Amino acid sequence: MNAIRIFIFFCLFSAAPVVYAQETLTLEEAIDMALTNNQEIAIQRKQTDIVRNNVYKGNAGLLPTISLIGNGSYSSGNTEVTLRTFTENPAQITIDEDNVVTEQASAVVQADYVLFAGFSGQYRYRLLEHAATISRYQQEILVNNTVLSVAELFLEIAKLQRREELLRETIEISQERLAKVNDQFAFGKATGLDILRAETDLNQDQTALDDIRLAKNNLLKDLSFLIGQPAESNYAVSAVYQLPKVVTLDSLKQQVLQSNPERKLQAESMMAAQDQRKLTQANQYPQLSAFANYGYQWQRNDVQQLAELQNIGYTAGVSLRYNLYRGGQTRRNLQNDRLAIEAEEVRLQQVRERLVNQAIKEYSTLEYLQAQLSREKENLDTFTESFGRMQERYYNGKATSLDIRDTQTALLNANITVSDIQAEIIQSFMRLENLRGGLIGTTP
């Protein structure tokens, strides 16, 4: 693989980063593991190697064949031979023998070569090249999709990991709130209902944290499978990214039509269909072949005048074969090839339109998410300031525990919203990169 071009971003928020005891994993490391260990990619690479290994002139019939031919036979039976004497009396002589033995043996080294067959060998070779190119594009598509799946899983885990961090902070605040309510209850400034509400809120936060951990652990197992790691692996994702730079829509559409591997695969399939039709047309031409051999022949017969015959030497010749009639097979095959080409042209147009449509939709999604992120960051600043003021009022006895809980929940949701949008922006951007063939470099 020549190069991996991954454009990602992820932002840590106002809270300090959490230090995890387990091993940390970056997105680049996860992708490297997937490219090395993913079984589907390994299988496709082997298939690509097999198809590429088939591309050689001998497999297309463009090289001569050399064969060693040997045979021998032995026969014994009753033989009756009638010979003309070319005289009047007797005009014929009949020889009747029992247990007549005939023995034959030969050994020949022969070279055969097709001199002309309507350029069929060249077209067969081009079809082999098309097959290798198609397999290479299939591998590129699989690698791109795997990288995209790894990235999306990674970012989903990062989102849940961020939620886990925020919920832990929320639980600490809820614990402090419960302690304060208990103190207030001891001095008669809070009721038992206030304690129950604080305990319920704390339990709800803990349950939400447990749900997040379960979802994160399940996604970690899915990611471990994709990158070829044991299911029991335990690690935290870690990344520092910068904002992606998005090309213009017109440039995006042009790059999609030019570089997307799915579009290139379909174009290659259409060219293969065109060369298949040329190969079929080659059947309309005569086939001219040449051969040359050098060998030894031996024969012995108990009845013939030549009791034993031996021959050592060269033989060379040419043969011409022209099919005058094949039951209409060539004509029908040409009709089918023409229909196949038309179908491939429609498929190519369909792929082009679908890819452009996906690119436009994803581009609009990215623009929407970027605008939404700007608004939600403003909301986050507002909720952060509001929570700070409410927390101060609460400790000064000017706000209730319900007030602090409401602002606490609003701040948590605002943080989660910004975190999710930022992850969704990079997921959308990576899908765009995949569409325009820029997610990963061209495979060899």
Side-chain angles (χ1 to χ4, degrees):
M1 194 161 299
N2 294 338
I4 299 176
R5 302 186 299 273
I6 304 168
F7 302 90
I8 49 182
F9 104 105
F10 186 78
C11 183
L12 296 176
F13 304 103
S14 57
V18 176
V19 179
Y20 293 89
Q22 68 265 45
E23 179 184 357
T24 59
L25 180 73
T26 67
L27 181 54
E28 290 80 0
E29 291 171 343
I31 290 174
D32 287 340
M33 289 180 182
L35 296 178
T36 303
N37 303 323
N38 185 270
Q39 295 175 339
E40 289 296 327
I41 292 178
I43 293 172
Q44 183 59 49
R45 283 174 176 162
K46 297 297 182 184
Q47 294 295 332
T48 301
D49 290 341
I50 291 173
V51 178
R52 185 184 301 164
N53 199 42
N54 287 331
V55 183
Y56 61 98
K57 292 184 177 181
N59 199 26
L62 290 173
L63 299 178
T65 60
I66 300 177
S67 307
L68 177 62
I69 305 171
N71 61 67
S73 65
Y74 173 89
S75 64
S76 177
N78 299 330
T79 301
E80 180 178 312
V81 179
T82 301
L83 301 176
R84 293 189 181 92
T85 63
F86 300 102
T87 62
E88 293 183 0
N89 190 21
Q92 295 179 341
I93 298 176
T94 299
I95 301 175
D96 189 358
E97 295 286 343
D98 296 332
N99 299 321
V100 174
V101 175
T102 301
E103 297 174 298
Q104 293 180 342
S106 65
V108 177
V109 176
Q110 179 164 315
D112 295 277
Y113 183 62
V114 177
L115 299 174
F116 178 77
F119 305 104
S120 59
Q122 287 85 343
Y123 295 131
R124 278 193 295 267
Y125 185 78
R126 287 167 63 173
L127 287 174
L128 293 173
E129 290 181 320
H130 289 312
T133 303
I134 288 172
S135 183
R136 178 167 59 85
Y137 287 144
Q138 289 172 340
Q139 177 179 320
E140 185 176 343
I141 291 170
L142 176 62
V143 170
N144 284 347
N145 290 338
T146 302
V147 169
L148 187 60
S149 297
V150 169
E152 290 188 338
L153 270 176
F154 185 96
L155 290 169
E156 287 297 324
I157 293 170
K159 286 162 61 176
L160 294 177
Q161 190 170 281
R162 177 60 179 162
R163 290 188 186 187
E164 182 181 2
E165 174 190 343
L166 293 170
L167 280 169
R168 276 205 286 265
E169 295 175 356
T170 299
I171 288 173
E172 290 179 1
I173 296 173
S174 296
Q175 290 171 338
E176 293 175 0
R177 174 184 162 220
L178 177 59
K180 184 172 180 58
V181 170
N182 282 324
D183 290 341
Q184 290 175 338
F185 180 77
F187 289 98
K189 295 183 178 181
T191 66
L193 182 59
D194 293 328
I195 294 176
L196 290 177
R197 286 173 177 170
E199 290 177 343
T200 301
D201 292 338
L202 178 60
N203 290 334
Q204 289 177 342
D205 293 339
Q206 188 62 55
T207 299
L209 179 61
D210 291 340
D211 291 340
I212 292 297
R213 285 172 173 169
L214 177 61
K216 185 190 73 171
N217 289 335
N218 288 336
L219 290 183
L220 282 172
K221 290 178 173 57
D222 293 337
L223 180 61
S224 296
F225 176 77
L226 278 181
I227 65 178
Q229 298 300 307
E232 60 273 13
S233 298
N234 187 23
Y235 44 81
V237 299
S238 174
V240 178
Y241 309 107
Q242 33 179 292
L243 289 172
K245 295 181 180 179
V246 184
V247 299
T248 64
L249 182 57
D250 290 339
S251 178
L252 174 64
K253 291 191 290 185
Q254 182 180 0
Q255 291 173 357
V256 167
L257 294 177
Q258 179 179 354
S259 303
N260 183 276
E262 188 176 351
R263 198 279 310 168
K264 291 190 287 188
L265 184 148
Q266 189 56 50
E268 193 72 24
S269 297
M270 187 182 69
M271 289 188 290
Q274 292 171 343
D275 282 338
Q276 178 60 53
R277 189 170 192 272
K278 294 177 182 178
L279 178 60
T280 302
Q281 289 175 329
N283 292 325
Q284 297 175 324
Y285 294 89
Q287 178 174 310
L288 180 63
S289 303
F291 73 92
N293 63 48
Y294 178 81
Y296 168 78
Q297 294 181 343
W298 173 81
Q299 177 180 331
R300 187 180 70 82
N301 193 296
D302 289 346
V303 175
Q304 294 181 2
Q305 291 177 327
L306 296 175
E308 185 173 297
L309 175 65
Q310 296 187 54
N311 181 34
I312 300 177
Y314 296 92
T315 304
V318 295
S319 64
L320 179 67
R321 179 174 179 176
Y322 183 64
N323 291 316
L324 297 176
Y325 181 68
R326 298 181 61 194
Q329 293 182 20
T330 301
R331 179 172 58 84
R332 291 299 178 91
N333 289 338
L334 286 173
Q335 291 175 354
N336 293 335
D337 290 341
R338 178 177 55 80
L339 294 174
I341 292 173
E342 293 174 356
E344 294 297 336
E345 290 174 346
V346 174
R347 288 193 188 99
L348 178 58
Q349 184 62 29
Q350 181 186 43
V351 168
R352 289 165 57 93
E353 293 177 359
R354 175 171 56 80
L355 291 174
V356 169
N357 184 54
Q358 289 177 348
I360 294 175
K361 288 167 57 178
E362 200 63 60
Y363 191 88
S364 299
T365 299
L366 185 57
E367 285 186 325
Y368 167 77
L369 289 172
Q370 288 175 328
Q372 187 182 19
L373 178 62
S374 178
R375 293 193 301 269
E376 293 299 333
K377 279 187 174 181
E378 293 179 359
N379 292 337
L380 178 59
D381 292 338
T382 300
F383 285 123
T384 301
E385 182 179 356
S386 176
F387 177 73
R389 292 181 178 181
M390 185 61 66
Q391 196 171 32
E392 182 180 353
R393 286 170 56 83
Y394 178 69
Y395 283 113
N396 291 331
K398 297 181 180 180
T400 66
S401 61
L402 292 179
D403 295 331
I404 191 67
R405 177 64 182 181
D406 289 340
T407 54
Q408 177 190 5
T409 302
L411 178 60
L412 172 65
N413 292 334
N415 268 309
I416 290 175
T417 299
V418 171
S419 173
D420 288 352
I421 292 174
Q422 288 184 316
E424 288 168 7
I425 285 176
I426 190 55
Q427 288 173 326
S428 177
F429 180 76
M430 293 189 73
R431 286 192 291 269
L432 277 181
E433 287 295 300
N434 188 39
L435 283 171
R436 73 185 188 95
L439 182 62
I440 193 164
T442 304
T443 55

